[in-house]
Amino acid sequence: MKHIFIIALILLAVSCQDDNNILDDELDRGGLIEFAEIPDFSPFNILDFANVSFTANVVDPNNNATSYDLTLIYNDVEVDNFLTVTSFPNSFTILGQDILDALGISSSDLAADDSFRFVATVTTTNGIFIGLPVDFNPDTNEQEGGSIAPNVFSSSPKNALDFRFTLFFPPPKKLRGTSFEEPFAAADPSEDYIRTADNDVEGELLNNPGQRHVMHTAVGTGLDDEIGFRSEFFSNGNGGFSNEEIGVTQKTEDVGGYIDGIQGFQLEDVDGLFRLTFDTVNVDPVTNPQTGVQIQYFLRSTSWEDHDTLRIYAMIERAGAATETIELLNLSGSGLNDVEGLWRVADSGFLDNITAYTLIIDAEIDSGNEEIYFDSMLVYVPEN
């Protein structure tokens, strides 16, 4: 044991020297290309996609790459060698019109839930490495997909081996709403919201000093003033949470960017039922006979379980104080897997003669890998 300890110290001492890496003598480095700085992956306006311009700087941290070739994937269509870089560091620009031309389509052919995926093939002095995730086929006992080496760092936001462009329709004309820009978001995007009560205690969640906000009181009633919201926790037998990434955040590692502004609302590992209720928005049906309500949501790509649920609904009032509940979204289990990885919208569509909307979100998730984001909630009216 004494000899092992001495060897470990020697390895540590050698590896800490800038000009010595003992692993270089034993291991071949794989093909890894990274972004020098994390690009802005905010969703692109589908109506103006032809004018999109995306610029990124890439580096070769292993100092062994001879080429970096991006394959463009759209639905079932693949365009090989869409872009090639042969020296590092390097800067490249991807234009929306170039993507459309390569696919032989126009902006009018796009749908809001479409995305453009870019997968890299990195050629090095040691071989060829594909950025696709590795998938082992037990029937053939063979590895399918990409290569192990470049995917060691696949969870890094600087990963330039497999990334996406997502799209969104510009929101309709706003009557009132929130994009979570006014509430406080902690300086550290990954800082937790910490409960002051025991994990499984039910009730309203209150803001803690210096932590991401879970509630907000409106400060004005104008078009550009954001409405308020409140958060509640209800036990479902899973034990509750003590500290998780819950509340207003600027974290972009999962979503790339937000629909409107730089902040959104995040849920993670609630271990119970979490309810987010927005302030009631009153409507004058004489001035605005047609109105609707919507919110953008994003589910992190992971393995959602059968008991995971996301429900978005609205309590609406009509003339005479008649009330009813309308459902905008109700998903669980595999239904969540079907919509993950992209910003999507839960929308009521236009409704007639509504006098008030109260939007509510219920979510039950119980894993740290299960994260849901929300942005751009609004009650809207026709453009004209």
Side-chain angles (χ1 to χ4, degrees):
M1 182 65 70
K2 180 179 179 180
H3 296 301
I4 295 175
F5 179 70
I6 293 173
I7 292 172
L9 288 177
I10 293 172
L11 288 173
L12 178 62
V14 172
S15 63
C16 289
Q17 298 178 35
D18 292 338
D19 57 353
N20 281 288
N21 186 340
I22 196 167
L23 296 181
D24 280 344
D25 298 330
E26 303 297 333
L27 298 177
D28 289 333
R29 289 171 175 256
L32 176 65
I33 300 297
E34 291 184 329
F35 294 117
E37 296 180 354
I38 303 172
D40 182 3
F41 283 113
S42 300
F44 294 112
N45 184 340
I46 193 172
L47 301 181
D48 194 40
F49 187 75
N51 295 317
V52 162
S53 179
F54 173 87
T55 299
N57 297 304
V58 289
V59 295
D60 170 22
N62 290 342
N63 196 32
N64 66 348
T66 57
S67 72
Y68 168 75
D69 299 282
L70 285 181
T71 295
L72 166 64
I73 302 174
Y74 173 71
N75 295 333
D76 295 328
V77 179
E78 294 189 11
V79 179
D80 293 328
N81 301 316
F82 173 78
L83 180 145
T84 298
V85 173
T86 57
S87 63
F88 306 92
N90 208 316
S91 175
F92 65 82
T93 298
I94 297 176
L95 302 178
Q97 189 60 57
D98 290 343
I99 293 175
L100 298 175
D101 291 344
L103 295 169
I105 61 175
S106 65
S107 294
S108 61
D109 296 315
L110 301 177
D113 59 353
D114 285 345
S115 68
F116 301 99
R117 183 181 182 185
F118 299 90
V119 176
T121 297
V122 182
T123 302
T124 76
T125 54
N126 301 320
I128 298 175
F129 302 86
I130 302 173
L132 284 170
V134 175
D135 184 18
F136 181 77
N137 187 333
D139 295 328
T140 62
N141 290 322
E142 294 181 352
Q143 172 188 305
E144 298 176 352
S147 311
I148 293 176
N151 284 280
V152 172
F153 303 101
S154 62
S155 61
S156 167
K158 285 192 172 184
N159 171 40
L161 300 176
D162 187 353
F163 59 94
R164 292 176 184 265
F165 293 172
T166 58
L167 307 174
F168 77 97
F169 273 111
K173 185 177 179 180
K174 181 175 73 173
L175 184 64
R176 291 298 308 280
T178 180
S179 291
F180 305 102
E181 298 301 300
E182 292 181 4
F184 176 78
D188 180 357
S190 296
E191 184 172 333
D192 291 343
Y193 169 78
I194 301 174
R195 294 199 70 184
T196 56
D198 290 338
N199 297 11
D200 214 26
V201 171
E202 297 186 329
E204 188 170 0
L205 304 179
L206 303 179
N207 294 335
N208 297 324
Q211 296 177 17
R212 47 170 70 198
H213 279 188
V214 293
M215 60 169 290
H216 179 64
T217 301
V219 296
T221 59
L223 175 65
D224 295 326
D225 295 315
E226 296 192 333
I227 66 172
F229 57 85
R230 61 192 180 96
S231 300
E232 297 173 277
F233 172 84
F234 300 94
S235 175
N236 65 0
N238 281 338
F241 74 94
S242 58
N243 55 291
E244 297 292 350
E245 293 181 6
I246 292 174
V248 177
T249 183
Q250 295 182 7
K251 182 179 178 181
T252 58
E253 179 178 336
D254 298 314
V255 300
Y258 292 95
I259 298 296
D260 185 15
I262 62 172
Q263 297 187 168
F265 194 98
Q266 179 189 8
L267 292 181
E268 174 196 64
D269 199 9
V270 178
D271 285 329
L273 186 148
F274 183 95
R275 175 167 294 162
L276 182 63
T277 303
F278 295 89
D279 286 353
T280 297
V281 176
N282 295 309
V283 179
D284 181 353
V286 176
T287 305
N288 297 298
Q290 278 198 319
T291 51
V293 61
Q294 67 173 219
I295 189 168
Q296 307 277 345
Y297 66 97
F298 184 104
L299 278 69
R300 179 184 180 186
S301 296
T302 188
S303 297
W304 298 91
E305 302 164 294
D306 290 342
H307 54 265
D308 297 324
T309 64
L310 173 62
R311 182 180 179 226
I312 303 176
Y313 55 104
M315 306 293 293
I316 61 172
E317 297 179 18
R318 300 184 184 274
T323 62
E324 61 182 278
T325 300
I326 58 171
E327 200 163 77
L328 280 61
L329 183 77
N330 194 344
L331 296 174
S332 62
S334 60
L336 297 169
N337 286 312
D338 292 339
V339 299
E340 66 183 13
L342 297 174
W343 278 107
R344 300 178 186 271
V345 61
D347 193 342
S348 69
F350 282 113
L351 304 174
D352 295 327
N353 300 314
I354 306 299
T355 60
Y357 290 92
T358 304
L359 187 69
I360 305 170
I361 297 171
D362 285 352
E364 296 181 79
I365 53 178
D366 59 3
S367 169
N369 292 324
E370 297 166 352
E371 300 183 30
I372 308 175
Y373 297 81
F374 302 98
D375 193 24
S376 189
M377 173 270 164
L378 54 88
V379 173
Y380 60 87
V381 295
E383 288 291 340
N384 299 319

